[in-house]
Amino acid sequence: MFTKELNLKIGDILIEKGVITKSQLETALKEQSKQGADNKKLGNFLIDIGYVTEVDIANALGMQFNLPVMRLEGLRIKPEVLDTISETMVKKFNIMPIFKVGDELTLAISDPTDILLIDMVTSATKCKIIPVISPYSDISKAINRHYYMKVETESGDTLLSITPTTISRTEIEELKMSGTDLPIIKIVDRILIEAVEDNASDIHIEPREAGLSVRFRVDGMLRDIATYPIKTHSGIVSRLKILSALDIAEKQKPQDGRIKIKIDDKEIDIRVSILPALYGEKIVLRLLNRANVKVSLEELNFSKNNFKTFLSLIKEPYGIILVTGPTGSGKTTTLYAALYEVNSVEKNIITVEDPIEYQLPVINQMQVNPKKDLTFANALRAILRQDPDIIMIGEIRDPETASIAAESALTGHLVFSTLHTNDAPSSITRLTDMGVEPFLLAPSLLGVIAQRLVRRICPKCKEAYTPSKAELLTISLDIPSEGLKFYRGAGCDNCKHTGYSGRTGIHEILVLDEKIREMITQKATAGMIRAEAAKNGFRDMRFDGLKKVMSGDTTTEELLRVTKANK
């Protein structure tokens, strides 16, 4: 493949493809000669002077040598493939093994003229090498992603987690005590890297009688990822405790910690929770990717009417706006988007959160600290002395916080907060049951947004079908199915054969009017409030979700999973 005479030189190919002109090539050759850079390959010199990009050169080399060109960004490489070539060789020659089928190993290279390198890898791996061309920086980033993950501990120390010598002798001995010869550090690295590449929100590491189970929560659903020998358990727990600055010796009490990692340009905060269980300590890692926080209201997928209603609520000068739903339903993201929408230099915006999930520019953020008696209520009292215009309370957990929030709204502040309830009307009865006086709640509450997240149909394998009569009845639609089209995902590599990729929100928004305020003071039930709101156009989440089913965003199965019909 590499020894046959080539018909075209790389410069001719670049001209033929319209990447550079003939005069640019001549100028580059003269400049290369003038600078004494004759030993540097022409492609690299053209990159250096800015005439072409690495991708242009990779594509030209692909044509010149009749080889496929492959981008590596986002590609997850299996551990057994990585193990075919030593780390030393990968880093020294900037190559990357990417697939292995039988004795054929697909290898990403940036310089197909290096025949000796291909021979060397063939000899080292005992495999037939199938070369593909990738840009040099793509290969470098893939190496960094799989071998050089940067880890920052709670104390701020930075470790290169792939190198055992970067942790202390005591820590190494603790890992050795696990009684396993498996590379614990590599196992932890690979779990974290795969979770980030799969866009997982949580990692569950669970010791069981038969082995150590690893599951990822992706798009709100847990997936089995891998099972390791149970003897790796103590080593993995110790490694994660070291990284999150927790007590290695403590195995009988729950512990909470934090890790910061950087993969390529992604900064990930990881909240670590360790809990003693039947077969050993269970670990749950919550991954917070700072780049993933959606701060634009348009990206929250409100329906047209709900978007208009929500926008009008957050533009009010004072009052309380609540976002409700279970854990993981996107409440905090909705509040962040609202804050970004109303943020300006004329306003003093302060938040109190537990914990601070994402750092927001310009906005002042405070984290509660129960050990220092900095509770939501105490923090809120302090905030009110800071001349705020808008206040965000991470969650209303107690009557004291709720009462202070109501009083703040009545004295001219706009207050955002969250509450754990199943729907919007029941938030009102929840607050009154909590001890908030109706005469405080009725005039201060502006509106309640209840939401859930449903999985979106994978766009790569989306297909239309005609729903059955039985399926329509499950979502309370008693209409003919003829000519009606619903959609589903057939399953493909893009969605890991689940049929879903990503999530979207469904919402219901209860806006308080004078009649509902009067009902609050009379301690009306949630059902009564819902019935009154329906007279003025209130539509529940099931209705909003049904519109997303009809438009092909999600499926009836997802709608039934997260909502129920109101009777």
Side-chain angles (χ1 to χ4, degrees):
M1 178 180 295
F2 297 107
T3 56
K4 71 176 185 178
E5 185 175 343
L6 302 171
N7 294 324
L8 286 175
K9 294 182 179 180
I10 191 166
D12 297 328
I13 294 173
L14 291 169
I15 292 172
E16 184 181 294
K17 290 171 64 67
V19 178
I20 60 174
T21 64
K22 189 172 182 179
S23 63
Q24 283 179 318
L25 177 60
E26 291 171 353
T27 301
L29 290 170
K30 289 178 183 176
E31 190 65 25
Q32 182 183 29
S33 178
K34 188 189 300 181
Q35 292 184 17
D38 293 337
N39 291 331
K40 178 179 282 190
K41 288 183 168 58
L42 177 61
N44 293 335
F45 187 77
L46 289 169
I47 293 170
D48 290 345
I49 63 177
Y51 279 179
V52 299
T53 65
E54 286 188 54
V55 177
D56 292 330
I57 294 300
N59 288 331
L61 287 172
M63 290 183 64
Q64 187 181 27
F65 287 89
N66 194 28
L67 289 175
V69 177
M70 186 170 183
R71 302 300 304 274
L72 304 184
E73 185 178 358
L75 180 68
R76 183 171 44 167
I77 302 167
K78 294 181 179 179
E80 57 267 28
V81 176
L82 293 171
D83 291 339
T84 57
I85 305 179
S86 70
E87 294 170 23
T88 303
M89 182 177 287
V90 164
K91 298 165 191 173
K92 181 177 180 180
F93 298 107
N94 202 63
I95 57 177
M96 197 70 190
I98 50 179
F99 303 114
K100 187 173 186 293
V101 180
D103 64 347
E104 291 187 346
L105 178 66
T106 301
L107 182 73
I109 58 176
S110 58
D111 182 7
T113 65
D114 194 343
I115 303 169
L116 292 178
L117 174 60
I118 301 297
D119 291 340
M120 191 185 307
V121 176
T122 300
S123 176
T125 61
K126 304 296 188 291
C127 292
K128 178 184 178 183
I129 302 302
I130 309 298
V132 298
I133 297 176
S134 296
Y136 187 94
S137 60
D138 274 25
I139 299 174
S140 297
K141 287 179 180 179
I143 292 171
N144 288 336
R145 190 163 62 247
H146 291 87
Y147 297 111
Y148 279 121
M149 187 172 63
K150 181 180 177 183
V151 178
E152 186 178 310
T153 66
E154 182 68 19
S155 62
D157 298 327
T158 298
L159 309 175
L160 288 177
S161 58
I162 203 67
T163 310
T165 55
T166 59
I167 63 176
S168 70
R169 185 177 298 277
T170 303
E171 292 165 350
I172 292 173
E173 290 304 316
E174 179 66 27
L175 292 175
K176 287 181 178 178
M177 287 173 62
S178 65
T180 175
D181 296 328
L182 290 175
I184 295 296
I185 296 173
K186 285 186 179 181
I187 291 174
V188 173
D189 285 351
R190 287 173 181 170
I191 290 173
L192 294 178
I193 290 169
E194 288 183 19
V196 171
E197 292 184 343
D198 281 357
N199 290 318
S201 61
D202 301 88
I203 304 170
H204 290 242
I205 301 174
E206 303 164 323
R208 298 174 181 169
E209 187 175 13
L212 184 67
S213 171
V214 177
R215 296 190 291 170
F216 293 169
R217 187 177 295 279
V218 181
D219 295 336
M221 304 293 285
L222 282 171
R223 299 178 184 172
D224 277 318
I225 298 300
T227 301
Y228 293 98
I230 194 62
K231 64 180 181 178
T232 63
H233 173 248
S234 60
I236 290 173
V237 172
S238 295
R239 177 62 176 163
L240 289 168
K241 284 182 177 179
I242 289 167
L243 294 177
S244 49
L246 298 178
D247 185 354
I248 295 177
E250 180 57 69
K251 301 180 186 296
Q252 302 302 318
K253 293 181 180 179
Q255 295 190 68
D256 296 309
R258 182 174 177 176
I259 306 171
K260 291 181 182 178
I261 66 174
K262 189 171 183 180
I263 300 177
D264 288 343
D265 297 326
K266 297 177 182 176
E267 291 187 3
I268 313 293
D269 283 334
I270 301 177
R271 304 286 160 74
V272 181
S273 174
I274 300 180
L275 187 74
L278 178 61
Y279 294 107
E281 293 172 286
K282 168 181 164 57
I283 306 172
V284 175
L285 309 174
R286 167 63 59 88
L287 278 65
L288 302 171
N289 185 346
R290 296 180 185 177
N292 280 350
V293 61
K294 296 176 180 176
V295 294
S296 169
L297 286 180
E298 286 76 9
E299 295 180 41
L300 297 182
N301 301 307
F302 279 102
S303 66
K304 187 176 180 180
N305 288 338
N306 282 341
F307 179 81
K308 184 179 178 181
T309 304
F310 185 59
L311 198 59
S312 67
L313 281 175
I314 65 176
K315 296 293 184 180
E316 292 287 339
Y318 54 85
I320 299 176
I321 299 170
L322 292 176
V323 181
T324 77
T327 301
S329 60
K331 300 186 298 295
T332 303
T333 301
T334 299
L335 288 185
Y336 281 167
L339 290 179
Y340 263 81
E341 183 68 27
V342 299
N343 189 20
S344 73
V345 293
E346 291 90 10
K347 294 177 181 176
N348 178 20
I349 301 177
I350 305 178
T351 76
V352 52
E353 306 172 56
D354 182 24
I356 296 173
E357 294 192 12
Y358 299 100
Q359 296 175 8
L360 304 173
V362 184
I363 294 170
N364 304 286
Q365 295 174 266
M366 179 190 301
Q367 181 162 320
V368 299
N369 187 349
K371 292 180 181 178
K372 301 292 184 181
D373 197 32
L374 184 60
T375 60
F376 276 113
N378 291 339
L380 191 49
R381 288 193 190 93
I383 286 173
L384 291 173
R385 295 191 289 271
Q386 288 283 314
D387 185 32
D389 296 295
I390 300 173
I391 302 168
M392 187 191 98
I393 307 167
E395 182 184 345
I396 292 179
R397 297 177 178 174
D398 54 76
E400 186 178 15
T401 303
S403 297
I404 297 173
E407 290 169 1
S408 302
L410 290 175
T411 54
H413 301 91
L414 185 61
V415 180
F416 296 117
S417 191
T418 70
L419 195 66
H420 283 172
T421 59
N422 289 325
D423 54 40
S426 63
S427 299
I428 295 171
T429 54
R430 170 84 173 96
L431 288 170
T432 54
D433 290 344
M434 193 184 285
V436 182
E437 294 293 344
F439 69 84
L440 274 179
L441 182 61
S444 61
L445 187 62
L446 291 173
V448 184
I449 299 91
Q451 66 181 57
R452 296 288 190 280
L453 294 176
V454 293
R455 291 182 292 173
R456 300 185 95 157
I457 300 170
C458 175
K460 299 289 181 66
C461 58
K462 185 175 181 178
E463 62 181 18
Y465 72 99
T466 300
S468 65
K469 182 72 173 178
E471 182 178 351
L472 292 175
L473 290 175
T474 62
I475 54 176
S476 307
L477 275 183
D478 190 9
I479 58 175
S481 61
E482 290 79 10
L484 191 62
K485 279 190 178 181
F486 281 4
Y487 297 84
R488 61 192 170 199
C492 63
D493 290 340
N494 178 65
C495 61
K496 305 292 190 297
H497 298 279
T498 62
Y500 298 98
S501 179
R503 289 188 289 179
T504 186
I506 57 174
H507 311 84
E508 64 182 33
I509 302 182
L510 173 66
V511 179
L512 273 70
D513 58 16
E514 290 308 313
K515 178 64 177 177
I516 293 178
R517 294 185 199 280
E518 183 181 339
M519 294 176 71
I520 293 174
T521 60
Q522 295 171 356
K523 297 185 178 181
T525 65
M528 294 166 65
I529 292 172
R530 177 182 293 278
E532 177 60 31
K535 295 177 183 177
N536 296 321
F538 172 78
R539 295 291 181 267
D540 63 16
M541 279 184 286
R542 172 64 69 89
F543 180 81
D544 193 42
L546 185 56
K547 289 198 295 184
K548 287 185 166 61
V549 170
M550 302 285 281
S551 65
D553 281 345
T554 190
T555 64
T556 55
E557 289 82 2
E558 277 296 284
L559 184 60
L560 292 169
R561 182 177 68 84
V562 302
T563 68
K564 66 176 184 179
N566 290 298
K567 298 178 181 178

